[in-house]
Amino acid sequence: MINSKCKICRRLGIKLFLRGEKCLSQKCPMIRKPYPPGPKAKRRVRALSEYGKELKEKQKLKNWYNLEERQLRKYVKEILKARGKVVDAEAALIKILESRLDNVVFRLGFAPSRTAARQMVSHRHFMINNKPINIPGYLVKKGDKISINPGSAKKTIFQKLPTLLKKHNPPSWLKLDTKKLEGKVTVSPNLEEAALPAELSSIFAFYSK
């Protein structure tokens, strides 16, 4: 599983930060082996077709948010279906993806990666407005408070959190209380701060076919 995540980044040619702290170290395979995996990896890569480019951008976004194919397809299709009602489709998609609970947990610094955040949410380690939630795709909204379940607070995964959060800067739409280990959604997520590795127009084009 660990090596497969590193291969995803190498195959797509971009660092997606799928393994937390290791992605920031010199041990990151993207630094040591900056070419696609496989026996033919170092050969010159052929130019991608338009479909190939769209597929690659879709794969970047899917892995960036640690989504299953059916999840991303559902989000995009819903926006495409409501195209007449949606002024900015790209902003609408990012609002959904950034509002997912697993992403919010990661953005607040409570988890080292979105993969870890998804597992932690699934194990009921977090609460929304004091209610335990175990659905990674749960969409938070303005005013929601995200906190650690009291029953999980003493677990090893949270022991170093107070120290780590002192250096963490969440996006402007989230307010982090490092003393209470709580976060709050103050406004809707925005496209600019998402710092995406993918081109959204290509992704909409991919699913429009």
Side-chain angles (χ1 to χ4, degrees), residues 5 18 66 102 105 111-122 126:
K5 289 191 175 299
L18 305 179
N66 190 39
D102 53 0
V105 165
S113 67
R114 289 183 178 84
T115 301
R118 182 167 187 162
Q119 294 175 336
M120 292 161 76
V121 171
S122 296
F126 294 97

Side-chain angles (χ1 to χ4, degrees), residues 23-36:
C23 299
L24 303 174
S25 73
Q26 291 300 310
K27 294 182 179 180
C28 174
M30 277 295 291
I31 296 177
R32 298 166 59 192
K33 300 177 181 180
Y35 48 83

Side-chain angles (χ1 to χ4, degrees), residues 25 44 68 79 89 94 96 99 108 115 121 137 152 187 189 192 208:
S25 73
R44 180 174 296 179
E68 294 178 4
I79 293 174
I94 290 308
I96 293 174
S99 295
L108 285 170
T115 301
V121 171
S152 304
V187 293
E192 292 73 22
S208 295

Side-chain angles (χ1 to χ4, degrees), residues 99-131:
S99 295
R100 284 176 54 94
L101 180 55
D102 53 0
N103 178 74
V104 173
V105 165
F106 168 70
R107 290 294 194 191
L108 285 170
F110 292 160
S113 67
R114 289 183 178 84
T115 301
R118 182 167 187 162
Q119 294 175 336
M120 292 161 76
V121 171
S122 296
H123 291 149
R124 302 176 71 87
H125 291 326
F126 294 97
M127 302 192 299
I128 299 293
N129 302 326
N130 300 316
K131 180 181 178 181

Side-chain angles (χ1 to χ4, degrees), residues 41-195:
K42 295 185 179 180
R43 295 183 182 179
R44 180 174 296 179
V45 180
R46 293 181 180 178
L48 292 173
S49 63
E50 190 62 31
Y51 174 81
K53 292 178 181 178
E54 294 170 358
L55 175 61
K56 186 174 182 178
E57 294 306 303
K58 187 265 293 184
Q59 290 296 90
K60 288 180 184 177
L61 190 70
K62 182 171 75 74
N63 286 289
W64 179 258
Y65 283 104
N66 190 39
L67 299 172
E68 294 178 4
E69 173 62 28
R70 62 179 179 79
Q71 293 174 315
L72 180 56
R73 185 192 303 113
K74 176 185 176 183
Y75 293 144
V76 176
K77 289 290 187 180
E78 287 178 350
I79 293 174
L80 288 173
K81 187 177 181 180
R83 178 170 287 175
K85 302 177 182 178
V86 179
V87 177
D88 190 334
E90 294 184 4
L93 177 59
I94 290 308
K95 181 179 179 180
I96 293 174
L97 297 177
E98 287 289 308
S99 295
R100 284 176 54 94
L101 180 55
D102 53 0
N103 178 74
V104 173
V105 165
F106 168 70
R107 290 294 194 191
L108 285 170
F110 292 160
S113 67
R114 289 183 178 84
T115 301
R118 182 167 187 162
Q119 294 175 336
M120 292 161 76
V121 171
S122 296
H123 291 149
R124 302 176 71 87
H125 291 326
F126 294 97
M127 302 192 299
I128 299 293
N129 302 326
N130 300 316
K131 180 181 178 181
I133 300 292
N134 65 341
I135 304 172
Y138 178 92
L139 300 181
V140 301
K141 57 184 182 298
K142 180 180 178 180
D144 280 349
K145 181 182 73 174
I146 300 90
S147 58
I148 298 173
N149 192 327
S152 304
K154 293 184 179 181
K155 291 186 176 296
T156 305
I157 54 175
F158 296 119
Q159 294 304 300
K160 296 181 180 180
L161 200 53
T163 301
L164 295 174
L165 290 181
K166 290 180 180 180
K167 302 178 182 179
H168 184 70
N169 293 312
S172 63
W173 53 277
L174 291 173
K175 182 179 180 180
L176 175 63
D177 188 325
T178 56
K179 292 183 178 180
K180 293 183 179 180
L181 299 183
E182 293 180 352
K184 186 175 182 179
V185 182
T186 56
V187 293
S188 296
N190 59 76
L191 180 58
E192 292 73 22
E193 285 190 279

